[in-house]
C-alpha cells in the first residue's frame, strides 16, 4: 500500500508542479536542482521522467534532487534512465542544470566498475560535445523578428554538430542540440532552417551567440541591409523597402500601410504576412499565455502529446 501511494505521487508530481508553477512563476524545468543521485533501481515501479517508461529493477537510474511539492521543507528525487537523461540535456532551457562530472553523482562509488566506466565515458562525451559547440557559439548565425515584443533565433554548426537557440531578445532562451549523421547532413539541416526563418519574416542581424549584448538594439529591431547599387540594386532596394514596411505593419496593426491595403487579394496577403510563421521545430515559436486546469466535460478532447482521448471527468 505504501509503494502504491509513492508511485501515485510520482505519477502526479508534474501535474502538481504545473499547478504551483502557474501561481509562483515556475515550471518543472525551473525547479531548483540540489544534486544528483545514482543507484540501481530497487524495484520496477519507478518511471523515467523523460520517457515515462518503467525503469527495470537493477538498472542504473539517476535521480535529480528537487523540492518535494507534497511536503514543504523536504526533497525528493525525479528518476531518469541513463540514456534518456543525457538525451534530455540537449533540449530545453539553456541554463538547465546538467551533469558534468562523476563527482556530482552521489552513490557513484557504489556502482560496479563497468558501470562506473560507462557513466564516465558518457559524461566525457557529453562534455566534449558541448565544448565543441561552445567554441563556435560566438559565430552563430542570428536572426530576429519584431513579433511578440522581439524574438531571436540562431544556429551554429561544428562539423556534424548543430545548436539551435531561440527565445525573447535579451534572454538566453532555449536550445536544441543535435549530432547528425555527418557534416553534410548537418549543413543541409542548417540551410533548411535558415530558409524557413527567412521565409517567415526573420531578418539576419549578424553573428552572435544567441544572447543579446548590451550593444544590441533594445527594441529588438533588425539591422538593415546595405542598399545595393545599379538598376538591379534599385529593384532590390525597392523590395527591401517593401519588406520593411510589411514588418512595421506586423508590429503596428494600426499603421498607415495596413490602412492603405484594399481588396480581397491585398487583405489575404496582409493576413498571411501577419500570421506567425510555421516551423518544423515542434512549435518553438508559439507564444504561451497561460495554463488552465479543469475536469474534462466530455470524452471528445484529445491529449496533445499522446493523441488519445481524455476520459470525461479526468483532470
Amino acid at each position: 500500500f505504501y509503494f502504491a501511494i509513492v508511485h501515485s505521487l510520482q505519477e502526479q508530481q508534474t501535474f502538481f508542479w504545473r499547478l504551483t508553477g502557474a501561481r509562483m512563476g515556475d515550471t518543472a524545468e525551473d525547479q531548483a536542482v540540489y544534486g544528483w543521485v545514482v543507484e540501481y533501481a530497487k524495484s520496477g515501479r519507478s518511471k523515467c521522467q523523460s520517457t515515462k517508461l518503467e525503469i527495470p529493477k537493477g538498472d542504473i537510474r539517476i535521480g535529480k534532487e528537487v523540492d518535494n511539492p507534497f511536503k514543504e521543507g523536504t526533497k525528493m528525487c525525479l528518476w531518469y534512465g541513463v540514456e534518456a537523461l543525457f538525451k534530455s540535456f540537449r533540449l530545453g532551457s539553456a541554463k538547465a542544470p546538467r551533469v558534468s562530472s562523476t563527482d556530482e553523482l552521489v552513490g557513484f562509488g557504489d556502482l560496479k566498475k563497468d558501470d562506473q566506466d560507462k557513466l564516465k565515458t558518457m559524461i566525457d562525451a557529453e562534455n566534449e560535445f558541448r565544448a565543441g559547440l561552445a567554441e563556435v557559439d560566438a559565430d552563430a548565425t542570428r536572426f530576429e523578428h519584431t513579433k511578440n515584443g522581439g524574438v531571436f533565433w540562431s544556429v551554429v554548426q561544428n562539423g556534424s554538430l548543430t545548436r539551435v537557440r531561440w527565445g525573447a531578445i535579451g534572454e538566453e532562451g532555449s536550445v536544441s542540440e543535435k549530432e547528425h549523421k555527418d557534416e553534410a547532413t548537418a549543413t543541409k539541416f542548417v540551410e533548411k532552417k535558415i530558409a524557413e526563418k527567412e521565409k517567415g519574416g526573420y531578418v539576419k542581424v549578424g553573428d552572435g551567440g544567441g544572447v543579446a549584448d548590451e550593444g544590441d538594439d533594445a527594441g529588438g529591431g533588425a539591422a538593415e541591409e546595405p542598399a545595393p547599387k545599379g538598376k538591379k540594386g534599385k529593384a532590390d532596394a525597392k523590395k527591401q523597402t517593401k519588406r520593411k514596411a510589411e514588418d512595421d505593419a506586423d508590429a503596428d496593426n494600426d499603421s498607415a500601410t495596413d490602412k492603405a491595403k484594399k481588396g480581397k487579394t491585398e487583405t489575404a496577403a496582409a493576413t498571411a504576412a501577419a500570421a506567425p510563421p510555421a516551423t518544423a521545430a515542434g512549435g518553438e515559436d508559439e507564444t504561451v499565455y497561460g495554463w488552465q486546469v479543469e475536469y474534462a466535460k466530455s470524452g471528445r478532447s484529445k491529449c496533445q502529446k499522446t493523441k488519445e482521448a481524455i476520459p470525461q471527468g479526468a483532470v
Side-chain angles (χ1 to χ4, degrees):
F1 177 71
Y2 167 77
F3 284 111
I5 293 176
V6 172
H7 181 62
S8 176
L9 292 178
Q10 288 177 335
E11 284 289 289
Q12 297 175 54
Q13 61 196 357
T14 301
F15 167 70
F16 278 101
W17 263 336
R18 285 180 177 172
L19 285 182
T20 57
R23 300 187 190 107
M24 299 187 303
D26 289 336
T27 65
E29 188 177 65
D30 295 326
Q31 291 287 319
V33 176
Y34 298 101
W36 302 89
V37 178
V38 63
E39 65 177 27
Y40 296 108
K42 299 178 175 66
S43 70
R45 288 184 289 269
S46 63
K47 285 190 176 182
C48 173
Q49 293 296 305
S50 182
T51 65
K52 307 306 178 186
L53 300 176
E54 291 181 345
I55 302 174
K57 180 179 180 180
D59 277 16
I60 300 176
R61 64 180 184 178
I62 297 179
K64 180 166 62 175
E65 190 178 17
V66 298
D67 287 317
N68 187 342
F70 311 107
K71 189 175 181 181
E72 188 175 355
T74 64
K75 297 178 177 60
M76 64 183 293
C77 278
L78 303 180
W79 296 107
Y80 293 82
V82 176
E83 287 77 12
L85 176 64
F86 279 84
K87 184 177 180 180
S88 73
F89 287 159
R90 301 188 181 184
L91 299 169
S93 172
K95 60 182 180 181
R98 293 168 170 84
V99 177
S100 59
S101 169
T102 57
D103 294 337
E104 300 173 7
L105 296 172
V106 176
F108 179 77
D110 297 329
L111 299 179
K112 298 174 183 177
K113 180 64 166 58
D114 289 346
D115 291 330
Q116 289 183 354
D117 292 341
K118 176 185 175 181
L119 274 178
K120 188 177 186 305
T121 299
M122 293 183 71
I123 292 174
D124 289 344
E126 185 65 19
N127 287 340
E128 184 178 352
F129 172 88
R130 300 186 68 79
L133 287 174
E135 289 178 1
V136 297
D137 205 30
D139 299 324
T141 302
R142 181 182 172 104
F143 291 79
E144 292 183 0
H145 199 294
T146 56
K147 67 178 183 179
N148 301 330
V151 295
F152 76 86
W153 180 91
S154 70
V155 63
V156 66
Q157 176 184 354
N158 183 20
S160 63
L161 310 178
T162 61
R163 171 184 286 165
V164 173
R165 194 189 296 267
W166 69 93
I169 293 176
E171 297 180 0
E172 259 190 292
S174 298
V175 295
S176 176
E177 299 164 335
K178 293 184 180 180
E179 185 169 4
H180 301 267
K181 182 174 65 175
D182 49 41
E183 185 172 352
T185 304
T187 300
K188 187 176 180 180
F189 169 82
V190 170
E191 293 174 346
K192 176 183 177 182
K193 304 305 286 185
I194 288 178
E196 289 175 355
K197 292 302 171 185
E198 291 178 330
K199 184 177 180 180
Y202 281 73
V203 179
K204 184 177 179 181
V205 295
D207 296 331
V211 180
D213 295 325
E214 292 181 3
D216 288 348
D217 184 358
E224 295 185 6
E225 300 175 9
K229 299 178 181 179
K231 289 184 177 180
K232 184 177 181 299
K234 290 182 179 179
D236 291 340
K238 187 175 292 186
K239 289 180 181 179
Q240 291 177 14
T241 301
K242 182 179 179 182
R243 182 176 65 183
K244 186 176 186 303
E246 291 175 350
D247 287 342
D248 291 341
D250 287 342
D252 185 359
N253 292 327
D254 196 35
S255 66
T257 304
D258 281 337
K259 291 180 180 179
K261 290 183 178 180
K262 296 179 181 180
K264 184 175 181 180
T265 303
E266 288 80 357
T267 302
T271 303
T279 67
E284 64 186 32
D285 291 322
E286 186 175 54
T287 301
V288 178
Y289 298 100
W291 302 89
Q292 182 174 329
V293 63
E294 65 178 20
Y295 296 108
K297 299 179 178 65
S298 70
R300 290 188 294 273
S301 62
K302 287 189 176 182
C303 172
Q304 294 299 303
K305 182 70 174 178
T306 66
K307 307 305 180 185
E308 297 176 353
I310 301 174
Q312 182 178 3
V315 178

